Amino acid sequence: MKEMAFEYVDMKYCIPSDMERKSGIWILRTGRSIAKSHYYVGPKVSENYSLHFVLNGKVSLVYGEEEVTLSEGDAFCLFPHIRYSYWESNHHPESPLRTHSVTLNGEFAVSALNRIGLHPHKPFIRNAMKAELPGVLNQIYECVDDDTLGSEFARQKWVYHLFELLSGAPAKKGTRSNWLEQSLHYMDSHYMEGITVTDVVEHAGVHRTHLYCEFIRVHGISPSHYLMKLRMERAAALLTETDVSVTEAAFSLGYSNLHTFSRAFAKYHHTSPTAYRQQYVLVPT
């Protein structure tokens, strides 16, 4: 470890690949530190998103006008352009403060941090160190400065696994506060795969009647009509903007046969798929 003014540090640096930068979140550096007596950092500001995991001891963190004391197993994040200071609470030479840091950048970094409950106004997590997390931090440490072909995939894997662990246990179905929004996204993402309202209900984890009532109240349309709208608008685009056949359009939209698709299309557009194509496709002159 390298001796600094207030700590011993072992830091590794990463040069992210183009692929990592395009992913929206990447690792810049990671390292371990052991505090010396009178350990104190700041006041200063960070240019990146720096996650710090308390492996041993206690640390006091000041962010803005707030102060918090964190212990072994806790974690905190330094957000860009916010003044902060932190120092060791009650230094013990035989058991000093030890931390492991992972510094991130990218346009999606703040969204990922917010997703696990870290915000500039609350930049810490209690009991963040789940059983697997030290191993993931070690994996990041081992691969962060690896410039061999494919190493960027390992870094991306471990940074996402890190966030997976920090997010905690997944919520049970029906307990998510945004289940209605997620139901809409579920239909938007999978309507071409033959899903039914029963699938949407199962995904939401709520009673079918509750889903229908809330969906109509918020979106002004039932889930079944919303699914039909998505499919029929896409069907119209396939028939007028591509050269796929009517049968190919039916199968592409998750229908098991041409008859069922044609009947649904005629009910929605008041004409058959073939007539619709003939009506709206411009004939070259």
Side-chain angles (χ1 to χ4, degrees):
M1 283 188 147
K2 184 178 180 180
E3 184 175 3
M4 308 293 285
F6 296 105
E7 61 186 333
Y8 298 95
V9 180
D10 192 355
M11 190 69 65
K12 288 187 175 183
Y13 300 87
C14 177
I15 301 177
S17 66
D18 289 341
M19 186 204 77
E20 288 172 282
R21 291 181 180 276
K22 289 176 181 177
S23 75
I25 184 169
W26 61 86
I27 303 169
L28 281 177
R29 61 183 178 272
T30 185
R32 303 152 176 166
S33 71
I34 300 175
K36 297 168 69 174
S37 179
H38 308 299
Y39 176 77
Y40 197 103
V41 177
K44 59 190 295 187
V45 296
S46 174
E47 291 295 312
N48 311 113
Y49 302 89
S50 188
L51 277 167
H52 293 253
F53 300 88
V54 183
L55 305 180
N56 187 74
K58 291 187 177 182
V59 60
S60 294
L61 169 71
V62 169
Y63 55 100
E65 301 299 321
E66 303 294 328
E67 179 177 336
V68 63
T69 298
L70 303 169
S71 305
E72 178 180 340
D74 297 340
F76 63 95
C77 181
L78 308 178
F79 283 81
H81 316 305
I82 294 178
R83 184 178 291 105
Y84 63 85
S85 301
Y86 57 93
W87 60 91
E88 183 179 23
S89 305
N90 303 318
H91 179 76
H92 298 287
E94 68 283 0
S95 183
L97 171 69
R98 292 189 298 111
T99 62
H100 192 134
S101 65
V102 179
T103 300
L104 307 164
N105 205 346
E107 60 182 309
F108 298 147
V110 66
S111 298
L113 292 165
N114 291 169
R115 185 78 171 176
I116 62 174
L118 287 169
H119 306 268
H121 60 272
K122 182 188 172 295
F124 61 91
I125 302 175
R126 301 284 188 185
N127 302 312
M129 295 292 286
K130 305 297 188 297
E132 292 181 61
L133 204 143
V136 172
L137 292 175
N138 289 335
Q139 291 288 350
I140 290 174
Y141 183 83
E142 292 301 323
C143 72
V144 72
D145 59 347
D146 186 351
D147 60 359
T148 58
L149 183 64
S151 60
E152 63 264 46
F153 294 108
R155 287 192 291 271
Q156 288 288 288
K157 175 182 73 173
W158 291 118
V159 75
Y160 277 102
H161 193 24
L162 175 67
F163 276 94
E164 178 188 10
L165 294 176
L166 290 173
S167 67
K172 294 180 180 179
K173 288 183 177 181
T175 63
R176 297 170 299 181
S177 60
N178 63 339
W179 65 265
L180 186 62
E181 179 185 356
Q182 289 298 311
S183 298
L184 185 74
H185 293 330
Y186 179 74
M187 287 187 276
D188 288 342
S189 300
H190 302 291
Y191 71 91
M192 295 182 72
E193 300 167 26
I195 63 170
T196 66
V197 174
T198 299
D199 296 317
V200 180
V201 169
E202 183 178 343
H203 175 77
V206 297
H207 194 276
R208 188 184 187 95
T209 302
H210 186 46
L211 172 68
Y212 261 87
C213 292
E214 285 300 294
F215 204 92
I216 292 172
R217 182 182 68 81
V218 174
H219 300 293
I221 187 175
S222 71
S224 58
H225 281 87
Y226 184 74
L227 271 176
M228 180 63 69
K229 178 175 180 290
L230 290 173
R231 288 174 178 142
M232 291 301 106
E233 290 182 354
R234 183 57 184 155
L238 286 172
L239 293 172
T240 58
E241 299 173 9
T242 76
D243 62 353
V244 300
S245 68
V246 175
T247 300
E248 289 169 339
F251 292 153
S252 298
L253 288 161
Y255 287 89
S256 59
N257 59 74
L258 177 59
H259 176 71
T260 304
F261 167 70
S262 297
R263 187 173 58 183
F265 189 95
K267 183 177 181 180
Y268 189 88
H269 289 289
H270 307 293
T271 187
S272 70
T274 302
Y276 188 93
R277 168 171 270 172
Q278 293 172 345
Q279 179 180 356
Y280 290 100
V281 173
L282 296 176
V283 178
T285 57

